[in-house]
């Protein structure tokens, strides 16, 4: 018997962080995240996010402070989509494909208080920091994200890392209550930069209400049922993964996180975990064609694929569909809080 | 390519009347309503609602005035779920099973300006009016709803009827713009009375925002895809038909309206129109067992049935499912803007 978070929200502020608490209560045995050998349940993800948020508060993160993250689709960046706004701060996910100069420009504009960095991107992060004025460097606390199964740090001289913040975070019941007490649904939840194809990256502030409604819009437009198994091929730094970060929690789904997007990695995860949904920019549709495809004809339903941006060529869509994928085309933009147009299939088109 | 009304709503007030405009634009060829031989498309329903709203405005209906309706599940009461709030007024659907005394109590409390009455309920309406003080009777404009295919009135001495209001309504582009300009999403959209099982019926005011969110909640909780064919067995006067009045428009679905709920009527409409969804209180589940069931084994998917109130006995659910229905149990209450708990199926329950 599941309480849809929507209803209590009639008068309460609309915010997607309620999806997390609901998932931990309604789906206590369901897997929230799979990443290699690492697995979490929804209650574990909820607990980790509460701890991280408590740690952010203890680091004196104040309302509307910016917390940046430079990471591929690893569990930490997923958790930060909840934990950072639970701490009252604003998430700023950074495109890992940008060069140091572009990232430095974003930092000068966004003025983050904390930067979380995936350990494998340490070189890029350090190059970026060197481009910043000394004072900005001093004001920016850098915290590295190591693999979740890495041994704990031994000496207290080691710098703080992500897992350490989660371990030391101790949410009291009053601080948890505070985390969910969003004052105004129009408050910012994330600061996203456009990819900068036309000029300097532009900052787009999205609100709790905006992403809540868009996360539901994606569920409706793509007809995502309960318990999707969602493969993270689309970067979460790309417009919050088209808000699917939050949609998957709303549906009690499973996030399959992968560090590298390649055909073998995609097909391996589809087979291992029974992936039902994934988002692919046209480039990734091409990657699907390269692989050594599984025999997906045994599956009762195809893997649902959302593709965005410019319309992919019909021939490409046909080839991908023959491999066992069902493609839905959407259009959206960072400035509009994600996907805004869905090409819903009309039965008569099949004739 | 369909614009989900949700997105434009990020900052615009949340109101389900936007679902109607969107349906008329995105699904211009889809059937909105089937009622016997009568059929409308979404653009026709949109046009009829604009005309009715314009007529209400010309009758000097002001913001937050109450417009009552006493009717079974005929097209008029469906249209009024949009047209009345488009005119700025508040819909008050009345339980047709109440006696004159109870309805009079509601009128004394709600103080409606207009009462729309299905012609077949004229006796009940007149008995109710006789119980009201003279002044209240004089202040209440009564408009009858005849069958849509009834001949037009001939003499101007005939009293106004529903179809006449639609014919004479002439929405200008500025009045249409006004109809969609809801100032505050917390404004009332409907005044619903509880069934009065515990004491006098209690009035519950629901807001544009509340029913918008609940209409989406039902779509998600019941996993209603695009283009459902919804059979109106649940009365629309019952908590706005659990908000499915608005959900069906949001999904571009088809409303199959029936005047009487009986097994032959239900099975006939399932067969004729390919019904995909219906809501049944436990009594109606029992009605399903009485009929002369079709062979529904040829259907690719069962008819989805939402049942509410107290949990139906397992044996009853099993019998109904063997007939080709898939039952989902929900719990809700008028005071909570409809269904708030959905018993989502967990795969492991099938083992």
């Amino acid at each position: 018997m599941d309480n849809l978070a929507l209803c209590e929200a009639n008068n309460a502020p609309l915010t997607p962080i309620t999806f997390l608490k609901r998932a931990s209560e309604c789906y206590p045995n369901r897997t929230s995240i799979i990443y290699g050998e690492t697995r979490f349940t929804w209650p574990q993800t909820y607990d980790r996010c509460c701890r991280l948020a408590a740690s952010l508060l203890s680091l004196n993160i104040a309302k509307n402070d910016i917390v940046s993250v430079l990471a591929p689709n690893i569990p930490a960046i997923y958790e930060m989509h909840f934990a950072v706004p639970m701490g009252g701060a604003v998430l700023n996910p950074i495109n890992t494909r940008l060069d140091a100069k572009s990232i430095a420009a974003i930092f000068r504009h966004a003025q983050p208080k904390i930067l979380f960095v995936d350990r494998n991107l340490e070189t890029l992060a350090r190059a970026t920091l060197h481009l910043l004025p000394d004072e900005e460097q001093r004001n920016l606390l850098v915290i590295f994200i190591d693999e979740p199964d890495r041994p704990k740090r031994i000496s207290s001289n080691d710098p703080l890392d992500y897992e350490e913040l989660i371990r030391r975070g101790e949410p009291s019941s009053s601080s948890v209550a505070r985390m969910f007490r969003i004052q105004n649904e129009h408050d910012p939840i994330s600061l996203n930069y456009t990819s900068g194809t036309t000029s300097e990256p532009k900052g787009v502030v999205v609100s709790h209400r905006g992403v809540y409604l868009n996360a539901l819009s994606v569920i409706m437009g793509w007809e995502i049922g309960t318990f999707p198994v969602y493969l993270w091929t689309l970067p979460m730094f790309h417009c919050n993964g088209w808000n699917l970060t939050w949609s998957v929690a709303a549906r009690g789904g499973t996030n399959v996180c992968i560090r590298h997007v390649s055909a073998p990695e995609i097909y391996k995860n589809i087979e291992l975990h029974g992936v039902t949904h994934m988002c692919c920019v046209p480039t990734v549709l091409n990657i699907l064609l390269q692989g050594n495809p599984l025999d997906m004809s045994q599956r009762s339903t195809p893997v649902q694929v959302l593709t965005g941006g410019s319309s992919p060529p019909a021939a490409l869509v046909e080839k991908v569909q023959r491999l066992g994928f069902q493609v839905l085309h959407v259009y959206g933009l960072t400035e509009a809080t994600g996907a805004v147009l869905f090409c819903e299939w009309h039965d008569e088109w099949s004739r």
Side-chain angles (χ1 to χ4, degrees), chain A:
Chain A
M1 192 71 85
D2 295 324
N3 183 349
L4 208 57
L6 279 169
C7 294
E8 67 169 318
N10 280 359
N11 290 305
L14 301 177
T15 166
I17 63 180
T18 53
F19 298 153
L20 174 59
K21 191 159 185 238
R22 175 180 174 272
S24 80
E25 289 169 359
C26 297
Y27 314 120
N29 303 315
R30 300 231 157 236
T31 302
S32 53
I33 299 179
I34 296 174
Y35 174 62
E37 298 301 307
T38 302
R39 276 177 186 249
F40 297 117
T41 62
W42 280 110
Q44 287 173 322
T45 295
Y46 173 64
D47 178 63
R48 287 171 59 86
C49 290
C50 287
R51 288 171 174 278
L52 180 57
S55 275
L56 290 175
L57 291 170
S58 73
L59 291 170
N60 293 321
I61 278 294
K63 187 164 185 294
N64 292 347
D65 278 351
I66 303 293
V67 174
S68 299
V69 55
L70 186 65
N73 283 345
I74 55 177
I77 185 171
Y78 186 83
E79 292 166 340
M80 289 178 71
H81 273 81
F82 296 93
V84 171
M86 283 160 72
V90 178
L91 183 67
N92 170 228
I94 309 237
N95 186 334
T96 58
R97 293 165 199 154
L98 295 177
D99 59 13
K101 189 163 157 276
S102 300
I103 299 175
I106 289 175
F107 285 170
R108 274 192 298 270
H109 187 255
Q111 298 283 323
K113 291 284 163 42
I114 304 184
L115 167 63
F116 285 89
V117 182
D118 174 53
R119 180 69 72 183
N120 293 13
L121 294 170
E122 185 168 354
T123 311
L124 176 61
R126 296 213 183 276
T128 303
L129 294 173
H130 284 146
L131 297 175
L132 296 180
D134 285 352
E135 200 194 325
E136 283 186 26
Q137 275 194 54
R138 273 195 306 276
N139 289 340
L140 181 58
L141 175 62
V142 179
I143 297 171
F144 284 98
I145 308 165
D146 290 299
E147 295 293 4
D149 51 2
R150 185 173 174 266
K152 297 175 187 184
R153 74 191 179 125
I154 297 153
S155 121
S156 59
N157 292 329
D158 287 352
L160 264 182
D161 79 349
Y162 183 85
E163 286 298 321
E164 177 70 13
L165 276 189
I166 287 182
R167 273 191 294 277
R168 66 145 77 169
E170 282 190 19
S172 64
S173 58
S174 65
S175 71
V176 169
R178 179 184 153 185
M179 289 169 196
F180 287 91
R181 207 183 304 129
I182 302 302
Q183 304 277 329
N184 184 336
E185 64 194 29
H186 294 283
D187 278 350
I189 189 170
S190 189
L191 170 58
N192 303 327
Y193 283 82
T194 57
S195 33
T197 36
T198 47
S199 65
E200 288 282 286
K202 287 174 282 291
V204 176
V205 177
V206 294
S207 68
H208 285 259
R209 174 182 167 109
V211 303
Y212 177 99
L213 291 172
N214 193 276
L216 299 192
S217 170
V218 172
I219 288 173
M220 301 215 323
W222 202 8
E223 302 192 16
I224 305 176
T226 46
F227 316 135
V229 180
Y230 182 79
L231 179 63
W232 275 104
T233 40
L234 178 79
M236 293 188 220
F237 62 67
H238 197 68
C239 195
N240 308 114
W242 301 351
N243 298 316
L244 280 147
T245 39
W246 295 300
S247 303
V248 174
R251 277 312 205 185
T254 299
N255 295 279
V256 180
C257 291
I258 53 177
R259 182 175 276 280
H260 302 290
V261 175
S262 67
E265 191 72 3
I266 290 172
Y267 285 108
K268 184 181 86 183
N269 279 282
I270 289 176
E271 190 173 28
L272 273 175
H273 308 303
V275 168
T276 59
H277 291 74
M278 56 196 285
C279 292
C280 299
V281 292
T283 322
V284 179
L285 290 182
N286 276 310
I287 290 178
L288 292 179
L289 298 180
Q290 294 162 13
N292 196 355
L294 313 169
D295 177 11
M296 304 215 301
S297 60
Q298 298 306 310
R299 294 173 60 106
S300 58
T301 48
V303 178
Q304 303 295 321
V305 169
L306 205 64
T307 187
S310 57
S311 196
L316 176 59
V317 172
E318 257 180 68
K319 277 186 202 163
V320 168
Q321 301 217 145
R322 273 202 297 274
L323 290 178
F325 299 91
Q326 178 67 45
V327 179
L328 177 70
H329 184 234
V330 297
Y331 174 76
L333 55 174
T334 306
E335 293 89 325
T337 318
V340 289
L341 293 170
F342 291 78
C343 183
E344 292 174 352
W345 195 257
H346 292 228
D347 286 342
E348 55 271 28
W349 296 350
S350 305
R351 281 174 225 140

